[in-house]
mmCIF file of all heavy atoms in Angstrom:
data_model
loop_
_atom_site.group_PDB
_atom_site.id
_atom_site.type_symbol
_atom_site.label_atom_id
_atom_site.label_comp_id
_atom_site.label_asym_id
_atom_site.label_seq_id
_atom_site.Cartn_x
_atom_site.Cartn_y
_atom_site.Cartn_z
ATOM 1 N N THR A 19 163.303 10.500 -129.805
ATOM 2 C CA THR A 19 164.176 9.355 -129.565
ATOM 3 C C THR A 19 164.533 9.236 -128.089
ATOM 4 O O THR A 19 164.632 8.128 -127.554
ATOM 5 C CB THR A 19 165.455 9.444 -130.406
ATOM 6 O OG1 THR A 19 166.116 10.702 -130.163
ATOM 7 C CG2 THR A 19 165.147 9.333 -131.899
ATOM 8 N N SER A 20 164.714 10.367 -127.407
ATOM 9 C CA SER A 20 165.016 10.330 -125.979
ATOM 10 C C SER A 20 163.871 9.698 -125.197
ATOM 11 O O SER A 20 164.082 8.843 -124.321
ATOM 12 C CB SER A 20 165.298 11.745 -125.465
ATOM 13 O OG SER A 20 165.584 11.727 -124.077
ATOM 14 N N TYR A 21 162.645 10.094 -125.520
ATOM 15 C CA TYR A 21 161.478 9.540 -124.836
ATOM 16 C C TYR A 21 161.368 8.037 -125.066
ATOM 17 O O TYR A 21 161.183 7.253 -124.126
ATOM 18 C CB TYR A 21 160.200 10.231 -125.322
ATOM 19 C CG TYR A 21 158.940 9.531 -124.866
ATOM 20 C CD1 TYR A 21 158.472 9.671 -123.559
ATOM 21 C CD2 TYR A 21 158.228 8.710 -125.739
ATOM 22 C CE1 TYR A 21 157.316 9.010 -123.137
ATOM 23 C CE2 TYR A 21 157.079 8.045 -125.327
ATOM 24 C CZ TYR A 21 156.633 8.195 -124.028
ATOM 25 O OH TYR A 21 155.510 7.531 -123.605
ATOM 26 N N HIS A 22 161.495 7.614 -126.317
ATOM 27 C CA HIS A 22 161.320 6.199 -126.622
ATOM 28 C C HIS A 22 162.483 5.361 -126.094
ATOM 29 O O HIS A 22 162.291 4.179 -125.753
ATOM 30 C CB HIS A 22 161.137 6.009 -128.122
ATOM 31 C CG HIS A 22 159.799 6.462 -128.613
ATOM 32 N ND1 HIS A 22 158.623 5.851 -128.238
ATOM 33 C CD2 HIS A 22 159.447 7.495 -129.437
ATOM 34 C CE1 HIS A 22 157.593 6.464 -128.812
ATOM 35 N NE2 HIS A 22 158.070 7.461 -129.548
ATOM 36 N N LEU A 23 163.680 5.926 -126.003
ATOM 37 C CA LEU A 23 164.793 5.208 -125.383
ATOM 38 C C LEU A 23 164.491 4.927 -123.910
ATOM 39 O O LEU A 23 164.768 3.830 -123.406
ATOM 40 C CB LEU A 23 166.089 6.010 -125.510
ATOM 41 C CG LEU A 23 166.808 5.918 -126.848
ATOM 42 C CD1 LEU A 23 167.903 6.980 -126.942
ATOM 43 C CD2 LEU A 23 167.415 4.523 -127.041
ATOM 44 N N ARG A 24 163.923 5.909 -123.230
ATOM 45 C CA ARG A 24 163.580 5.693 -121.814
ATOM 46 C C ARG A 24 162.530 4.609 -121.670
ATOM 47 O O ARG A 24 162.580 3.797 -120.732
ATOM 48 C CB ARG A 24 163.100 7.007 -121.184
ATOM 49 C CG ARG A 24 164.191 8.071 -121.047
ATOM 50 C CD ARG A 24 163.765 9.192 -120.111
ATOM 51 N NE ARG A 24 162.573 9.892 -120.566
ATOM 52 C CZ ARG A 24 162.588 10.938 -121.379
ATOM 53 N NH1 ARG A 24 163.753 11.394 -121.849
ATOM 54 N NH2 ARG A 24 161.460 11.541 -121.746
ATOM 55 N N GLN A 25 161.573 4.567 -122.598
ATOM 56 C CA GLN A 25 160.552 3.526 -122.541
ATOM 57 C C GLN A 25 161.156 2.148 -122.827
ATOM 58 O O GLN A 25 160.816 1.157 -122.170
ATOM 59 C CB GLN A 25 159.438 3.829 -123.548
ATOM 60 C CG GLN A 25 158.659 5.096 -123.246
ATOM 61 C CD GLN A 25 158.041 5.079 -121.861
ATOM 62 O OE1 GLN A 25 157.334 4.139 -121.495
ATOM 63 N NE2 GLN A 25 158.312 6.105 -121.070
ATOM 64 N N LEU A 26 162.050 2.083 -123.781
ATOM 65 C CA LEU A 26 162.737 0.818 -124.070
ATOM 66 C C LEU A 26 163.577 0.366 -122.880
ATOM 67 O O LEU A 26 163.630 -0.828 -122.553
ATOM 68 C CB LEU A 26 163.613 0.964 -125.316
ATOM 69 C CG LEU A 26 162.884 1.061 -126.658
ATOM 70 C CD1 LEU A 26 163.862 1.449 -127.768
ATOM 71 C CD2 LEU A 26 162.189 -0.256 -126.997
ATOM 72 N N ALA A 27 164.223 1.333 -122.214
ATOM 73 C CA ALA A 27 165.037 1.001 -121.050
ATOM 74 C C ALA A 27 164.176 0.486 -119.903
ATOM 75 O O ALA A 27 164.556 -0.444 -119.178
ATOM 76 C CB ALA A 27 165.837 2.221 -120.608
ATOM 77 N N ALA A 28 163.001 1.079 -119.732
ATOM 78 C CA ALA A 28 162.101 0.666 -118.648
ATOM 79 C C ALA A 28 161.654 -0.784 -118.807
ATOM 80 O O ALA A 28 161.299 -1.435 -117.816
ATOM 81 C CB ALA A 28 160.882 1.583 -118.604
ATOM 82 N N HIS A 29 161.697 -1.285 -120.031
ATOM 83 C CA HIS A 29 161.277 -2.665 -120.279
ATOM 84 C C HIS A 29 162.454 -3.575 -120.626
ATOM 85 O O HIS A 29 162.266 -4.696 -121.118
ATOM 86 C CB HIS A 29 160.228 -2.694 -121.395
ATOM 87 C CG HIS A 29 158.922 -2.091 -120.984
ATOM 88 N ND1 HIS A 29 158.680 -0.727 -121.062
ATOM 89 C CD2 HIS A 29 157.795 -2.651 -120.467
ATOM 90 C CE1 HIS A 29 157.455 -0.486 -120.619
ATOM 91 N NE2 HIS A 29 156.899 -1.614 -120.255
ATOM 92 N N GLY A 30 163.669 -3.097 -120.389
ATOM 93 C CA GLY A 30 164.843 -3.949 -120.502
ATOM 94 C C GLY A 30 165.374 -4.217 -121.891
ATOM 95 O O GLY A 30 166.160 -5.138 -122.090
ATOM 96 N N PHE A 31 164.978 -3.401 -122.873
ATOM 97 C CA PHE A 31 165.483 -3.595 -124.226
ATOM 98 C C PHE A 31 166.812 -2.869 -124.463
ATOM 99 O O PHE A 31 167.624 -3.298 -125.285
ATOM 100 C CB PHE A 31 164.462 -3.111 -125.259
ATOM 101 C CG PHE A 31 163.263 -4.000 -125.372
ATOM 102 C CD1 PHE A 31 162.047 -3.634 -124.803
ATOM 103 C CD2 PHE A 31 163.337 -5.214 -126.037
ATOM 104 C CE1 PHE A 31 160.932 -4.450 -124.896
ATOM 105 C CE2 PHE A 31 162.228 -6.046 -126.146
ATOM 106 C CZ PHE A 31 161.025 -5.662 -125.561
ATOM 107 N N VAL A 32 167.011 -1.752 -123.794
ATOM 108 C CA VAL A 32 168.253 -0.992 -123.921
ATOM 109 C C VAL A 32 168.750 -0.638 -122.529
ATOM 110 O O VAL A 32 168.012 -0.706 -121.548
ATOM 111 C CB VAL A 32 168.071 0.294 -124.770
ATOM 112 C CG1 VAL A 32 167.520 -0.042 -126.146
ATOM 113 C CG2 VAL A 32 167.177 1.297 -124.052
ATOM 114 N N GLU A 33 170.017 -0.243 -122.463
ATOM 115 C CA GLU A 33 170.616 0.143 -121.189
ATOM 116 C C GLU A 33 171.704 1.184 -121.423
ATOM 117 O O GLU A 33 172.152 1.391 -122.557
ATOM 118 C CB GLU A 33 171.211 -1.074 -120.493
ATOM 119 C CG GLU A 33 172.261 -1.797 -121.314
ATOM 120 C CD GLU A 33 172.624 -3.154 -120.740
ATOM 121 O OE1 GLU A 33 171.770 -4.073 -120.789
ATOM 122 O OE2 GLU A 33 173.774 -3.277 -120.236
ATOM 123 N N ASP A 34 172.105 1.828 -120.339
ATOM 124 C CA ASP A 34 173.160 2.831 -120.424
ATOM 125 C C ASP A 34 174.464 2.203 -120.878
ATOM 126 O O ASP A 34 174.770 1.044 -120.551
ATOM 127 C CB ASP A 34 173.383 3.481 -119.060
ATOM 128 C CG ASP A 34 172.400 4.600 -118.781
ATOM 129 O OD1 ASP A 34 172.169 5.423 -119.676
ATOM 130 O OD2 ASP A 34 171.860 4.634 -117.656
ATOM 131 N N ALA A 35 175.257 2.997 -121.590
ATOM 132 C CA ALA A 35 176.630 2.625 -121.929
ATOM 133 C C ALA A 35 177.529 3.709 -121.348
ATOM 134 O O ALA A 35 178.077 4.539 -122.079
ATOM 135 C CB ALA A 35 176.799 2.511 -123.442
ATOM 136 N N PRO A 36 177.672 3.745 -120.003
ATOM 137 C CA PRO A 36 178.367 4.854 -119.340
ATOM 138 C C PRO A 36 179.827 4.990 -119.739
ATOM 139 O O PRO A 36 180.402 6.085 -119.652
ATOM 140 C CB PRO A 36 178.230 4.509 -117.846
ATOM 141 C CG PRO A 36 178.005 3.040 -117.815
ATOM 142 C CD PRO A 36 177.215 2.727 -119.052
ATOM 143 N N GLU A 37 180.425 3.904 -120.202
ATOM 144 C CA GLU A 37 181.834 3.971 -120.585
ATOM 145 C C GLU A 37 182.059 4.853 -121.807
ATOM 146 O O GLU A 37 183.193 5.274 -122.085
ATOM 147 C CB GLU A 37 182.367 2.556 -120.863
ATOM 148 C CG GLU A 37 181.770 1.861 -122.077
ATOM 149 C CD GLU A 37 180.439 1.168 -121.816
ATOM 150 O OE1 GLU A 37 179.875 1.359 -120.710
ATOM 151 O OE2 GLU A 37 179.961 0.454 -122.712
ATOM 152 N N LEU A 38 180.985 5.162 -122.532
ATOM 153 C CA LEU A 38 181.105 5.981 -123.739
ATOM 154 C C LEU A 38 180.720 7.432 -123.507
ATOM 155 O O LEU A 38 181.011 8.289 -124.338
ATOM 156 C CB LEU A 38 180.224 5.403 -124.853
ATOM 157 C CG LEU A 38 180.562 3.980 -125.310
ATOM 158 C CD1 LEU A 38 179.544 3.499 -126.336
ATOM 159 C CD2 LEU A 38 181.967 3.937 -125.892
ATOM 160 N N GLY A 39 180.029 7.715 -122.396
ATOM 161 C CA GLY A 39 179.528 9.063 -122.157
ATOM 162 C C GLY A 39 180.608 10.045 -121.753
ATOM 163 O O GLY A 39 181.573 9.693 -121.071
ATOM 164 N N LYS A 40 180.419 11.271 -122.204
ATOM 165 C CA LYS A 40 181.323 12.368 -121.824
ATOM 166 C C LYS A 40 180.466 13.520 -121.329
ATOM 167 O O LYS A 40 179.600 14.017 -122.047
ATOM 168 C CB LYS A 40 182.170 12.808 -123.019
ATOM 169 C CG LYS A 40 183.125 11.749 -123.540
ATOM 170 C CD LYS A 40 183.932 12.258 -124.731
ATOM 171 C CE LYS A 40 184.874 11.185 -125.255
ATOM 172 N NZ LYS A 40 185.659 11.676 -126.438
ATOM 173 N N GLY A 41 180.720 13.956 -120.093
ATOM 174 C CA GLY A 41 179.928 15.032 -119.534
ATOM 175 C C GLY A 41 178.489 14.595 -119.358
ATOM 176 O O GLY A 41 178.199 13.563 -118.768
ATOM 177 N N ARG A 42 177.556 15.386 -119.906
ATOM 178 C CA ARG A 42 176.131 15.082 -119.771
ATOM 179 C C ARG A 42 175.622 14.185 -120.901
ATOM 180 O O ARG A 42 174.445 13.846 -120.944
ATOM 181 C CB ARG A 42 175.331 16.382 -119.747
ATOM 182 C CG ARG A 42 175.695 17.297 -118.575
ATOM 183 C CD ARG A 42 174.888 18.578 -118.625
ATOM 184 N NE ARG A 42 173.456 18.312 -118.520
ATOM 185 C CZ ARG A 42 172.523 19.263 -118.627
ATOM 186 N NH1 ARG A 42 172.886 20.524 -118.852
ATOM 187 N NH2 ARG A 42 171.247 18.955 -118.508
ATOM 188 N N GLU A 43 176.506 13.822 -121.811
ATOM 189 C CA GLU A 43 176.126 12.994 -122.951
ATOM 190 C C GLU A 43 175.765 11.585 -122.475
ATOM 191 O O GLU A 43 176.543 10.942 -121.765
ATOM 192 C CB GLU A 43 177.284 12.923 -123.950
ATOM 193 C CG GLU A 43 176.927 12.354 -125.295
ATOM 194 C CD GLU A 43 178.086 12.453 -126.262
ATOM 195 O OE1 GLU A 43 179.202 12.043 -125.889
ATOM 196 O OE2 GLU A 43 177.877 12.944 -127.381
ATOM 197 N N ARG A 44 174.602 11.083 -122.863
ATOM 198 C CA ARG A 44 174.134 9.767 -122.444
ATOM 199 C C ARG A 44 174.085 8.819 -123.632
ATOM 200 O O ARG A 44 173.378 9.071 -124.601
ATOM 201 C CB ARG A 44 172.758 9.871 -121.792
ATOM 202 C CG ARG A 44 172.289 8.582 -121.126
ATOM 203 C CD ARG A 44 170.981 8.783 -120.378
ATOM 204 N NE ARG A 44 170.626 7.616 -119.586
ATOM 205 C CZ ARG A 44 169.527 7.508 -118.834
ATOM 206 N NH1 ARG A 44 168.662 8.521 -118.784
ATOM 207 N NH2 ARG A 44 169.283 6.414 -118.137
ATOM 208 N N TRP A 45 174.854 7.739 -123.528
ATOM 209 C CA TRP A 45 174.902 6.746 -124.590
ATOM 210 C C TRP A 45 174.063 5.532 -124.197
ATOM 211 O O TRP A 45 173.990 5.164 -123.023
ATOM 212 C CB TRP A 45 176.343 6.310 -124.856
ATOM 213 C CG TRP A 45 177.137 7.328 -125.614
ATOM 214 C CD1 TRP A 45 177.602 8.528 -125.140
ATOM 215 C CD2 TRP A 45 177.540 7.246 -126.976
ATOM 216 N NE1 TRP A 45 178.276 9.202 -126.133
ATOM 217 C CE2 TRP A 45 178.261 8.441 -127.261
ATOM 218 C CE3 TRP A 45 177.382 6.290 -127.979
ATOM 219 C CZ2 TRP A 45 178.810 8.689 -128.517
ATOM 220 C CZ3 TRP A 45 177.929 6.524 -129.223
ATOM 221 C CH2 TRP A 45 178.630 7.724 -129.486
ATOM 222 N N TRP A 46 173.470 4.905 -125.204
ATOM 223 C CA TRP A 46 172.620 3.740 -124.991
ATOM 224 C C TRP A 46 173.110 2.586 -125.857
ATOM 225 O O TRP A 46 173.656 2.778 -126.945
ATOM 226 C CB TRP A 46 171.178 4.056 -125.377
ATOM 227 C CG TRP A 46 170.542 5.157 -124.599
ATOM 228 C CD1 TRP A 46 170.592 6.503 -124.864
ATOM 229 C CD2 TRP A 46 169.759 5.027 -123.405
ATOM 230 N NE1 TRP A 46 169.887 7.202 -123.926
ATOM 231 C CE2 TRP A 46 169.358 6.323 -123.006
ATOM 232 C CE3 TRP A 46 169.344 3.924 -122.635
ATOM 233 C CZ2 TRP A 46 168.568 6.553 -121.891
ATOM 234 C CZ3 TRP A 46 168.565 4.148 -121.518
ATOM 235 C CH2 TRP A 46 168.187 5.457 -121.161
ATOM 236 N N LYS A 47 172.893 1.375 -125.358
ATOM 237 C CA LYS A 47 173.220 0.179 -126.128
ATOM 238 C C LYS A 47 172.092 -0.837 -125.977
ATOM 239 O O LYS A 47 171.321 -0.793 -125.006
ATOM 240 C CB LYS A 47 174.540 -0.441 -125.657
ATOM 241 C CG LYS A 47 174.537 -0.908 -124.208
ATOM 242 C CD LYS A 47 175.913 -1.431 -123.806
ATOM 243 C CE LYS A 47 175.930 -1.849 -122.329
ATOM 244 N NZ LYS A 47 177.273 -2.315 -121.922
ATOM 245 N N ALA A 48 171.986 -1.740 -126.942
ATOM 246 C CA ALA A 48 170.976 -2.790 -126.877
ATOM 247 C C ALA A 48 171.339 -3.778 -125.775
ATOM 248 O O ALA A 48 172.501 -4.137 -125.606
ATOM 249 C CB ALA A 48 170.878 -3.506 -128.218
ATOM 250 N N SER A 49 170.345 -4.214 -125.027
ATOM 251 C CA SER A 49 170.585 -5.173 -123.945
ATOM 252 C C SER A 49 170.685 -6.603 -124.464
ATOM 253 O O SER A 49 171.288 -7.458 -123.809
ATOM 254 C CB SER A 49 169.461 -5.085 -122.905
ATOM 255 O OG SER A 49 169.408 -3.797 -122.325
ATOM 256 N N GLN A 50 170.059 -6.871 -125.610
ATOM 257 C CA GLN A 50 170.157 -8.184 -126.250
ATOM 258 C C GLN A 50 170.422 -7.953 -127.739
ATOM 259 O O GLN A 50 170.194 -6.871 -128.250
ATOM 260 C CB GLN A 50 168.855 -8.991 -126.093
ATOM 261 C CG GLN A 50 168.379 -9.187 -124.653
ATOM 262 C CD GLN A 50 167.475 -8.064 -124.176
ATOM 263 O OE1 GLN A 50 166.837 -7.393 -124.986
ATOM 264 N NE2 GLN A 50 167.423 -7.840 -122.867
ATOM 265 N N GLN A 51 170.907 -8.981 -128.408
ATOM 266 C CA GLN A 51 171.175 -8.851 -129.837
ATOM 267 C C GLN A 51 170.109 -9.507 -130.713
ATOM 268 O O GLN A 51 170.289 -9.660 -131.917
ATOM 269 C CB GLN A 51 172.554 -9.427 -130.167
ATOM 270 C CG GLN A 51 173.698 -8.495 -129.791
ATOM 271 C CD GLN A 51 173.594 -7.141 -130.482
ATOM 272 O OE1 GLN A 51 173.301 -7.062 -131.670
ATOM 273 N NE2 GLN A 51 173.827 -6.075 -129.739
ATOM 274 N N GLY A 52 169.003 -9.904 -130.116
ATOM 275 C CA GLY A 52 167.930 -10.489 -130.915
ATOM 276 C C GLY A 52 166.613 -10.446 -130.178
ATOM 277 O O GLY A 52 166.572 -10.267 -128.956
ATOM 278 N N THR A 53 165.531 -10.593 -130.926
ATOM 279 C CA THR A 53 164.182 -10.625 -130.370
ATOM 280 C C THR A 53 163.444 -11.822 -130.952
ATOM 281 O O THR A 53 163.466 -12.024 -132.161
ATOM 282 C CB THR A 53 163.408 -9.343 -130.730
ATOM 283 O OG1 THR A 53 164.142 -8.206 -130.289
ATOM 284 C CG2 THR A 53 162.035 -9.347 -130.070
ATOM 285 N N CYS A 54 162.805 -12.597 -130.095
ATOM 286 C CA CYS A 54 162.026 -13.748 -130.551
ATOM 287 C C CYS A 54 160.566 -13.577 -130.168
ATOM 288 O O CYS A 54 160.253 -13.224 -129.037
ATOM 289 C CB CYS A 54 162.574 -15.040 -129.942
ATOM 290 S SG CYS A 54 164.110 -15.577 -130.694
ATOM 291 N N PHE A 55 159.716 -13.841 -131.114
ATOM 292 C CA PHE A 55 158.273 -13.692 -130.949
ATOM 293 C C PHE A 55 157.691 -15.047 -130.567
ATOM 294 O O PHE A 55 157.781 -16.015 -131.315
ATOM 295 C CB PHE A 55 157.706 -13.198 -132.284
ATOM 296 C CG PHE A 55 156.235 -12.955 -132.298
ATOM 297 C CD1 PHE A 55 155.730 -11.673 -132.174
ATOM 298 C CD2 PHE A 55 155.357 -14.008 -132.466
ATOM 299 C CE1 PHE A 55 154.366 -11.449 -132.223
ATOM 300 C CE2 PHE A 55 153.997 -13.795 -132.509
ATOM 301 C CZ PHE A 55 153.489 -12.509 -132.384
ATOM 302 N N ASP A 56 157.091 -15.150 -129.390
ATOM 303 C CA ASP A 56 156.510 -16.410 -128.919
ATOM 304 C C ASP A 56 155.187 -16.653 -129.643
ATOM 305 O O ASP A 56 154.302 -15.793 -129.657
ATOM 306 C CB ASP A 56 156.282 -16.334 -127.412
ATOM 307 C CG ASP A 56 155.964 -17.691 -126.796
ATOM 308 O OD1 ASP A 56 155.096 -18.394 -127.351
ATOM 309 O OD2 ASP A 56 156.567 -18.031 -125.765
ATOM 310 N N VAL A 57 155.037 -17.846 -130.231
ATOM 311 C CA VAL A 57 153.832 -18.146 -131.008
ATOM 312 C C VAL A 57 152.559 -18.070 -130.165
ATOM 313 O O VAL A 57 151.462 -17.867 -130.705
ATOM 314 C CB VAL A 57 153.923 -19.532 -131.670
ATOM 315 C CG1 VAL A 57 154.915 -19.519 -132.799
ATOM 316 C CG2 VAL A 57 154.278 -20.605 -130.645
ATOM 317 N N SER A 58 152.681 -18.217 -128.849
ATOM 318 C CA SER A 58 151.485 -18.151 -127.997
ATOM 319 C C SER A 58 150.844 -16.770 -128.035
ATOM 320 O O SER A 58 149.655 -16.620 -127.715
ATOM 321 C CB SER A 58 151.838 -18.518 -126.553
ATOM 322 O OG SER A 58 152.700 -17.555 -125.970
ATOM 323 N N LEU A 59 151.593 -15.750 -128.446
ATOM 324 C CA LEU A 59 151.037 -14.401 -128.528
ATOM 325 C C LEU A 59 149.911 -14.316 -129.550
ATOM 326 O O LEU A 59 149.009 -13.491 -129.422
ATOM 327 C CB LEU A 59 152.144 -13.397 -128.862
ATOM 328 C CG LEU A 59 153.196 -13.174 -127.770
ATOM 329 C CD1 LEU A 59 154.385 -12.399 -128.326
ATOM 330 C CD2 LEU A 59 152.591 -12.452 -126.582
ATOM 331 N N HIS A 60 149.957 -15.157 -130.578
ATOM 332 C CA HIS A 60 148.889 -15.156 -131.580
ATOM 333 C C HIS A 60 147.546 -15.533 -130.962
ATOM 334 O O HIS A 60 146.485 -15.142 -131.456
ATOM 335 C CB HIS A 60 149.212 -16.153 -132.698
ATOM 336 C CG HIS A 60 150.281 -15.682 -133.637
ATOM 337 N ND1 HIS A 60 150.164 -14.543 -134.393
ATOM 338 C CD2 HIS A 60 151.488 -16.227 -133.951
ATOM 339 C CE1 HIS A 60 151.249 -14.393 -135.139
ATOM 340 N NE2 HIS A 60 152.069 -15.392 -134.886
ATOM 341 N N LYS A 61 147.585 -16.311 -129.880
ATOM 342 C CA LYS A 61 146.356 -16.821 -129.266
ATOM 343 C C LYS A 61 145.929 -16.008 -128.049
ATOM 344 O O LYS A 61 144.915 -16.321 -127.432
ATOM 345 C CB LYS A 61 146.573 -18.274 -128.854
ATOM 346 C CG LYS A 61 146.979 -19.181 -130.008
ATOM 347 C CD LYS A 61 147.315 -20.585 -129.527
ATOM 348 C CE LYS A 61 147.805 -21.466 -130.658
ATOM 349 N NZ LYS A 61 148.185 -22.822 -130.189
ATOM 350 N N ASN A 62 146.691 -14.979 -127.708
ATOM 351 C CA ASN A 62 146.343 -14.174 -126.546
ATOM 352 C C ASN A 62 145.024 -13.436 -126.801
ATOM 353 O O ASN A 62 144.875 -12.760 -127.824
ATOM 354 C CB ASN A 62 147.463 -13.172 -126.250
ATOM 355 C CG ASN A 62 147.299 -12.498 -124.902
ATOM 356 O OD1 ASN A 62 146.347 -11.762 -124.669
ATOM 357 N ND2 ASN A 62 148.244 -12.734 -124.006
#
């Protein structure tokens, strides 16, 4: 989960939630509350 969180963060899907962290504990939150699939992807 740590590895995949970093990958999601690198592409802007999740981000740090520093207000929740204590010490070395790292919290993550979703950067958006939804995902939309563009129909043009079917033709790529």
Side-chain angles (χ1 to χ4, degrees):
T19 55
S20 180
Y21 169 77
H22 287 295
L23 280 168
R24 292 195 300 271
Q25 295 303 307
L26 288 170
H29 291 85
F31 288 104
V32 304
E33 58 192 69
D34 277 315
E37 67 276 9
L38 299 176
K40 296 180 181 179
R42 299 179 61 185
E43 193 174 50
R44 189 174 188 180
W45 284 72
W46 299 87
K47 62 183 178 182
S49 299
Q50 304 89 25
Q51 282 302 316
T53 304
C54 285
F55 181 100
D56 192 312
V57 288
S58 66
L59 292 168
H60 286 299
K61 302 174 184 178
N62 192 295

